Amino acid sequence: MKINGIPYRSIWVSPEDRHAICIFDQTKFPFAVDILTLRDKHAVADAILTMKTRGAPLIGAAGAWGLALSLRTDPGNEAMEESASMLAGTRPTAVNLRWAIDRMLEKLRPVKPEDRYEAARAEAALICDEDVMQNEAIGRNGFDLIKDILKNRPSGKQINILTHCNAGWIATVDWGTALAPIYMAADSGVNVHVWVDETRPRNQGASLTAWELGKHGVPHTVIADNAGGHLMQHGLVDLVIVGTDRVTRTGDVANKIGTYLKALAAKDNNVPFWVALPSTTIDWNIRDGIKEIPIEERSASEVSHIAGMDADGVFRTVRLMPEGSKAANPAFDVTPAHLVTGLITERGCCAASEEGLLSLFPERS
Ligand code: MRU
């Protein structure tokens, strides 16, 4: 996608040094577009841990590149396995990270150590390219859903879509998952408006989704996380589309904390609740999302404090709570499959169920 007319992906090989990769520092959005150059696995691991780079598909791509860079200095078996576990352990909920590292290891284990670095670079680049193609296909499939909703409406009528967190192009290598259909609809002239949940505590909606949509010229309104149910009760939401960090083979969906409450409100108000994902987000080994998906617990300081820019243009972090109060910060929740209208994948849309997923991915039966 473009920033000020210049096309970017969210991760790329440095044009100055082929042994380094570049990412955006997402902790600086929307106030600055800072590009970071990462030269080794430690820098990549730190960028994932501190959420300079984030979003399920993107941390998979970053992990793959982190492993590739590690093989330049030590391509031996022991070092490769150690680097792989270190990178895979940086964030627990998004299965894309583990998936990408496993795919890299499967490719690289049979390769001679001296050939591993180049083989790893090629595989990491392929993971990135495939992510772009999958998300573009998700965009087309999700746009078909939007067209279905619009079929029975007067032409030009606005469609209101609510989304949570950031599942846009900067959460993937390009296009995004939940936002890909919205970009395609907007580009085709559909009158689309997006309700953007601010997404406390880190505010990925307010800071990232709003920034992306604004750069692409998509009309949007940021709302407090608790406003969605009210808007649904008043007929102001036609459709919810969110991304996900892990989907079980039975269709349970882990996504940013607060997604479950939106799904409950959507069910109560007959608002379709769709989840967009590349197949790299499906964990075919688990069935019960609530029991089996590990939920990342992040620092309490993300709840007790908030960061932003003051009126003088100075970036500040301020405390919100009394000093003695405790804070807890589970970063994701699980929406059970029965609350999900359906899944939008690169192979098409399906019910959030084992049958639904297997109808699109029969090789997994
Ligand atoms: O903690 P984050 O910002 O990495 O969480 C991101 C999300 O929850 C996204 O909705 C999810 O990764 C889907 S990204 C296309």
Side-chain angles (χ1 to χ4, degrees):
M1 306 290 275
K2 291 183 183 153
I3 303 177
N4 303 332
I6 302 168
Y8 285 95
R9 283 185 174 187
S10 301
I11 187 165
W12 65 98
V13 174
S14 165
E16 275 96 46
D17 175 4
R18 77 180 291 270
H19 306 300
I21 55 159
C22 294
I23 57 163
F24 296 110
D25 181 350
Q26 298 202 20
T27 64
K28 298 283 168 54
F29 285 141
F31 307 111
V33 179
D34 277 4
I35 292 172
L36 300 175
T37 302
L38 311 178
R39 299 181 190 282
D40 60 34
K41 66 178 177 187
H42 301 293
V44 173
D46 177 72
I48 297 172
L49 268 169
T50 55
M51 294 179 62
K52 293 184 177 77
T53 195
R54 46 149 297 282
L58 183 55
I59 61 175
W65 270 109
L67 186 58
L69 296 182
S70 79
L71 298 173
R72 185 175 171 223
T73 41
D74 190 346
N77 292 344
E78 206 180 315
M80 180 172 75
E81 301 291 336
E82 260 176 43
S83 302
S85 328
M86 185 277 284
L87 287 159
T90 47
R91 293 194 74 191
T93 302
V95 77
N96 308 60
L97 177 56
R98 181 77 254 177
W99 168 86
I101 298 285
D102 285 348
R103 171 166 156 171
M104 294 288 285
L105 288 175
E106 207 173 302
K107 183 82 190 181
L108 297 168
R109 280 185 186 123
V111 175
K112 283 191 292 200
E114 60 269 32
D115 297 332
R116 274 185 183 153
Y117 177 51
E118 290 304 327
R121 294 181 62 93
E123 195 63 11
L126 194 59
I127 286 174
C128 290
D129 290 346
E130 286 176 11
D131 186 62
V132 178
M133 286 186 295
Q134 288 171 342
N135 296 328
E136 196 175 351
I138 287 169
R140 285 193 297 272
N141 297 330
F143 183 27
D144 285 344
L145 287 176
I146 294 174
K147 284 191 259 188
D148 270 357
I149 292 178
L150 290 172
K151 233 171 19 206
N152 304 318
R153 307 226 174 149
S155 97
K157 185 153 186 332
Q158 188 175 73
I159 179 163
N160 288 296
I161 302 180
L162 184 142
T163 193
H164 191 70
C165 195
N166 171 259
W169 72 272
I170 57 172
T172 64
V173 180
D174 206 350
W175 279 105
T177 56
L179 295 196
I182 293 171
Y183 287 132
M184 287 195 189
D187 290 348
S188 306
V190 171
N191 183 3
V192 60
H193 166 262
V194 185
W195 295 112
V196 179
D197 283 350
E198 60 176 344
T199 318
R200 276 285 287 152
R202 288 188 68 99
N203 296 307
Q204 289 96 325
S207 59
L208 305 178
T209 300
W211 176 82
E212 271 195 32
L213 292 172
K215 286 283 166 208
H216 204 81
V218 180
H220 61 279
T221 307
V222 178
I223 49 173
D225 287 326
N226 297 327
H230 164 80
L231 296 174
M232 290 180 203
Q233 285 173 328
H234 290 270
L236 295 170
V237 181
D238 298 298
L239 171 67
V240 178
I241 312 181
V242 296
T244 169
D245 294 82
R246 191 184 297 225
V247 173
T248 65
R249 70 181 289 133
T250 56
D252 292 345
V253 168
N255 192 45
K256 183 54 56 192
I257 194 77
T259 303
Y260 169 53
L261 291 178
K262 291 300 135 67
L264 282 171
K267 186 81 169 180
D268 196 42
N269 291 283
N270 290 318
V271 173
F273 184 95
W274 286 85
V275 180
L277 61 134
S279 52
T280 53
T281 305
I282 305 168
D283 185 341
W284 295 99
N285 298 315
I286 61 172
R287 311 185 67 84
D288 184 332
I290 294 171
K291 287 204 183 112
E292 295 178 90
I293 297 178
I295 300 295
E296 178 179 9
E297 183 74 34
R298 292 189 62 87
S299 166
S301 67
E302 293 180 353
V303 175
S304 60
H305 290 68
I306 197 160
M309 189 164 278
D310 72 14
D312 299 321
V314 179
F315 194 75
R316 288 189 195 282
T317 299
V318 296
R319 183 159 51 82
L320 296 168
M321 306 176 4
E323 258 185 296
S325 298
K326 282 207 292 195
N329 189 9
F332 297 92
D333 61 24
V334 173
T335 300
H338 69 90
L339 295 176
V340 177
T341 307
L343 306 173
I344 309 167
T345 79
E346 72 271 19
R347 290 203 193 163
C349 299
C350 69
S353 65
E354 187 162 14
E355 300 71 51
L357 281 169
L358 291 178
S359 71
L360 296 180
F361 300 93
E363 70 275 22
R364 294 292 183 163
S365 50

